[in-house]
Amino acid sequence: MDPDDVVEMLNELFAVCIPIIFKYDGTVDKYVGDSILAVFGSPEPDKRQWENAVRASLEMQQAIRVQQEVWQKRKLPVYRIGIGIHTGAVLHGFIGAPERMEFTVIGDAVNRATRFCDGAEGGEVIISPEVFARVANSVEAIPKIIRTKHPESEPDMAAYIVKAWNAIDTSPLPAVSG
Amino acid sequence: MDPDDVVEMLNELFAVCIPIIFKYDGTVDKYVGDSILAVFGSPEPDKRQWENAVRASLEMQQAIRVQQEVWQKRKLPVYRIGIGIHTGAVLHGFIGAPERMEFTVIGDAVNRATRFCDGAEGGEVIISPEVFARVANSVEAIPKIIRTKHPESEPDMAAYIVKAWNAIDTSPLPAVSG
């Protein structure tokens, strides 16, 4: 592909994903190469951050499948993304110098999230056990072991592939009079 | 350290580094955790991009050594950074969606630069062979092999530790009349 075509296709991909991240109250921390670092629950706390992250991810994969048909008509290569979700304590704040400040998150949980992303195949939404513990009642998920390429220094990681969001509406029914 | 202290110290570190990057016509592409991705020769071409990157790096290490004394007086931990420099073709442009655009660089050369950074010890400025080829006449450097942790999938990398900038001014002398 021509470099300009790569940027164009990447921007079309991002144009599909970003509005969905925002719809679920996520923020885009940064782009790292062809990846998006999205954050849920920062800077504003969000009690539904885990649900929002998982549902946004499933919706992005669905939207990319639709976009795929557009790309195929233009004879562009198949582009599938893997999504990994992790949760944990992070530092968030403005980092940098007056000449260049960025609001960003820092911490081991961020680095670990990257490993779940790396472990996600194209089309998959992978969540860490810590995320699974928060959404277990609402997702259809199957276990997955992310095999490390470097077993001598990094252990394999337990994870889950999320297949669907199965939330049952448990809000109280309205009282019916009469 | 208290999380707020981490952010404060990081911002003091960046306040030392960023003006030096700008002084040498570099740009700050992004912060990734406690790292800075700086770019020389983009978006504006710069014939001296290699020289500028190396000299900025040496000056940053020197400035951090001075800053170290300030931190020591405040009983803060010693903080030393490793700097890695690589050069190669990259895509540069605006990436993202209308809701969030960033000017950034993408490509294998960017990923490879990260590996030279990872191979740099605290206080070191490491350059790749491709950078060395551009500045060999102007630097005092010693060879270094960056040992990979994962020899089965990534080979060791040849590199150079830059000790000093030794440029001899070879510009023509002004004609002297009389």
Side-chain angles (χ1 to χ4, degrees):
Chain A
M1 281 174 87
D2 184 84
D4 286 343
D5 291 342
V6 173
V7 171
E8 186 186 343
M9 196 173 166
L10 208 47
N11 281 346
E12 288 178 9
L13 172 71
F14 289 165
V16 168
C17 294
I18 306 303
I20 298 172
I21 293 168
F22 286 177
K23 172 181 163 188
Y24 286 95
D25 295 333
T27 59
V28 175
D29 185 288
K30 62 169 70 75
Y31 304 109
V32 183
D34 59 0
S35 307
I36 301 170
L37 173 58
V39 182
F40 296 78
S42 163
E44 295 300 319
D46 175 7
K47 286 181 183 171
R48 297 170 64 181
Q49 57 180 310
W50 304 280
E51 170 180 343
N52 279 333
V54 171
R55 294 180 67 186
S57 300
L58 290 167
E59 197 165 313
M60 280 190 276
Q61 292 291 20
Q62 175 58 30
I64 291 164
R65 279 190 287 271
V66 172
Q67 178 66 25
Q68 213 64 263
E69 294 166 26
V70 177
W71 285 331
Q72 272 170 3
K73 279 181 195 155
R74 280 157 51 198
K75 312 283 183 202
L76 288 166
V78 172
Y79 196 101
R80 300 203 302 167
I81 67 165
I83 302 178
I85 312 175
H86 182 50
T87 186
V90 296
L91 290 174
H92 62 170
F94 282 97
I95 295 289
E99 296 88 345
R100 173 71 190 260
M101 298 294 286
E102 279 182 11
F103 191 90
T104 188
V105 289
I106 298 178
D108 288 340
V110 183
N111 304 336
R112 199 161 171 79
T114 305
R115 293 196 55 210
F116 287 99
C117 289
D118 292 343
E121 309 279 326
E124 281 183 353
V125 174
I126 297 290
I127 61 176
S128 70
E130 291 81 358
V131 175
F132 182 70
R134 300 292 194 150
V135 297
N137 289 338
S138 306
V139 294
E140 190 180 312
I142 56 174
K144 168 171 178 151
I145 297 294
I146 299 175
R147 301 280 174 207
T148 178
K149 283 182 228 162
H150 315 300
E152 73 289 354
S153 57
E154 293 170 355
D156 289 345
M157 299 196 308
Y160 299 80
I161 305 172
V162 181
K163 294 295 188 184
W165 185 262
N166 280 338
I168 296 156
D169 187 354
T170 56
S171 54
L173 290 172
V176 179
S177 66
Chain B
M1 282 174 86
D2 183 85
D4 286 343
D5 292 342
V6 172
V7 170
E8 186 185 343
M9 196 173 166
L10 208 47
N11 281 345
E12 288 179 8
L13 172 72
F14 289 165
V16 167
C17 294
I18 305 303
I20 298 173
I21 292 168
F22 285 178
K23 172 180 161 188
Y24 287 95
D25 296 332
T27 59
V28 174
D29 185 288
K30 61 170 70 73
Y31 304 109
V32 183
D34 59 0
S35 306
I36 301 169
L37 173 58
V39 182
F40 296 79
S42 163
E44 294 300 317
D46 175 6
K47 287 182 182 170
R48 297 169 64 182
Q49 57 179 310
W50 305 279
E51 171 181 342
N52 279 334
V54 171
R55 293 180 67 185
S57 300
L58 290 167
E59 197 165 313
M60 280 190 276
Q61 291 292 20
Q62 175 57 30
I64 291 164
R65 279 189 288 272
V66 173
Q67 178 66 27
Q68 213 63 265
E69 294 166 25
V70 177
W71 286 331
Q72 273 171 2
K73 280 182 193 152
R74 279 156 53 198
K75 312 282 183 202
L76 288 166
V78 171
Y79 197 99
R80 298 203 302 167
I81 66 165
I83 301 178
I85 311 174
H86 183 48
T87 186
V90 296
L91 290 176
H92 63 170
F94 281 97
I95 295 288
E99 297 88 344
R100 173 71 188 260
M101 298 294 286
E102 279 182 13
F103 191 89
T104 189
V105 289
I106 299 179
D108 289 341
V110 183
N111 305 337
R112 197 159 171 81
T114 305
R115 292 197 55 209
F116 286 99
C117 289
D118 292 345
E121 308 278 326
E124 280 184 354
V125 174
I126 297 289
I127 60 176
S128 70
E130 291 81 0
V131 175
F132 183 70
R134 299 292 193 149
V135 298
N137 289 338
S138 306
V139 294
E140 190 178 312
I142 56 174
K144 169 171 178 152
I145 296 294
I146 299 174
R147 301 279 174 209
T148 177
K149 284 181 227 161
H150 316 299
E152 73 289 353
S153 57
E154 292 170 355
D156 289 345
M157 299 196 309
Y160 298 82
I161 305 172
V162 181
K163 293 296 189 183
W165 184 262
N166 281 338
I168 295 157
D169 187 353
T170 56
S171 54
L173 290 173
V176 178
S177 64

